[in-house]
């Protein structure tokens, strides 16, 4: 971002594979939600890649569908009046 939003564009990069619900929950509660509470954005855009889900052939993570729900629900509760756009991206496991 720029201006008042400078430094608020967030991309969490994992240094290794195999990250699952526990790691995502920690990053979400310790990084994403504090940033959200401090910045109070006018709009939230989620680039929702499903390549982190358990069983994906490329993503090498172990995120459960329940964790996707929990992260989305947390955003809705933390910013109830903020518009949220969710854009579906990758994910290669059709099962």
């Amino acid at each position: 971002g720029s201006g008042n939003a400078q430094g608020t564009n967030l991309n969490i990069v994992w240094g290794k594979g195999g990250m699952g619900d526990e790691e995502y929950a920690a990053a979400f509660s310790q990084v994403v939600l504090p940033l959200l509470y401090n910045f109070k954005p006018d709009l939230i855009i989620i680039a929702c890649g499903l390549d982190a889900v358990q069983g994906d052939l490329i993503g090498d993570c172990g995120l459960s569908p329940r964790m996707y729900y929990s992260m989305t629900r947390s955003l809705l509760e933390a910013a109830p009046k903020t518009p949220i756009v969710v854009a579906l991206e990758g994910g290669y496991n059709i099962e």
Side-chain angles (χ1 to χ4, degrees):
S2 62
N4 291 338
Q6 187 167 356
T8 59
N9 185 15
L10 180 62
N11 186 17
I12 298 173
V13 179
W14 301 118
K16 60 180 182 173
M19 298 298 138
D21 289 355
E22 187 175 325
E23 293 84 7
Y24 274 79
F28 210 76
S29 65
Q30 296 173 18
V31 179
V32 176
L33 290 178
L35 180 64
L36 178 64
Y37 290 130
N38 288 327
F39 180 64
K40 299 187 182 4
D42 296 322
L43 175 68
I44 297 171
I45 300 173
I46 303 169
C48 181
L50 297 179
D51 48 349
V53 75
Q54 295 168 342
D56 183 79
L57 303 174
I58 297 175
D60 194 26
C61 290
L63 202 59
S64 71
R66 179 81 181 152
M67 190 62 203
Y68 277 99
Y69 168 82
S70 294
M71 291 187 293
T72 304
R73 188 82 197 148
S74 294
L75 283 176
L76 292 169
E77 291 171 357
K81 296 183 179 181
T82 304
I84 298 177
V85 175
V86 180
L88 181 59
E89 292 185 345
Y92 308 97
N93 184 355
I94 60 172
E95 296 182 33

